[in-house]
Amino acid sequence: MASKLRIHDLIPESIVDGPGLRYVVFTQGCPHHCKGCHNPQTHPFDGGREISIEEICRDYQVNPLLAGITFSGGEPFCQCQPLWELGQRIHDMGGTVITYTGFLYEDLEEKALTDPDVKGLLSVTDLLVDGPYIEELRSLDLPFRGSSNQRLIPLSGRIPPDLLS
Ligand code: SF4
């Protein structure tokens, strides 16, 4: 497996990127170019910087209060292999994994039939937040989402549904 990831930024503590206190990885590179995107600096695939999975795990381990990790963007599904590996490591440490994506879950499921890395990242994702950001559907009332088309899709039972509302 790959052991390096291209990131825009790391946030060691967040309470707005999923339930509980979470470590957030903003990946670098996004093909979606949603109108009104709040993180346009994450779009270029040659921007940001590279970091090893090992380094992120060391940083994550420093804080015993973390509930888990959130992969945000950028587009995490453009770097499935290292995030799959990182997600496995976070699970081994008892944390949960939330993955944001501009793709639709149904399309990712179809890709997973022929792409083992997509399948791998889905397999370590406990909660998927899917769909592009649509400026016309922007809402400040929705927990953990920017626009009302985006869905919170539990892929395991590890994040209780009552924490998502
Ligand atoms: S998927 Fe996310 S990072 Fe990419 S353009 Fe849309 S809102 Fe921005």
Side-chain angles (χ1 to χ4, degrees), residues 30-40 42-43 73-75 101-103 131-133 150:
C30 181
H32 301 296
H33 298 285
C34 307
K35 189 178 127 206
C37 170
H38 290 196
N39 297 315
T42 66
H43 296 181
E75 173 51 65
T101 180
F103 294 112
Y133 172 66
Q150 294 170 319

Side-chain angles (χ1 to χ4, degrees), residues 120-140:
L121 179 51
L122 284 174
S123 76
V124 294
T125 296
D126 297 299
L127 177 73
L128 188 77
V129 186
D130 86 332
Y133 172 66
I134 299 180
E135 198 170 34
E136 293 74 17
L137 299 178
R138 177 173 184 252
S139 171
L140 297 176

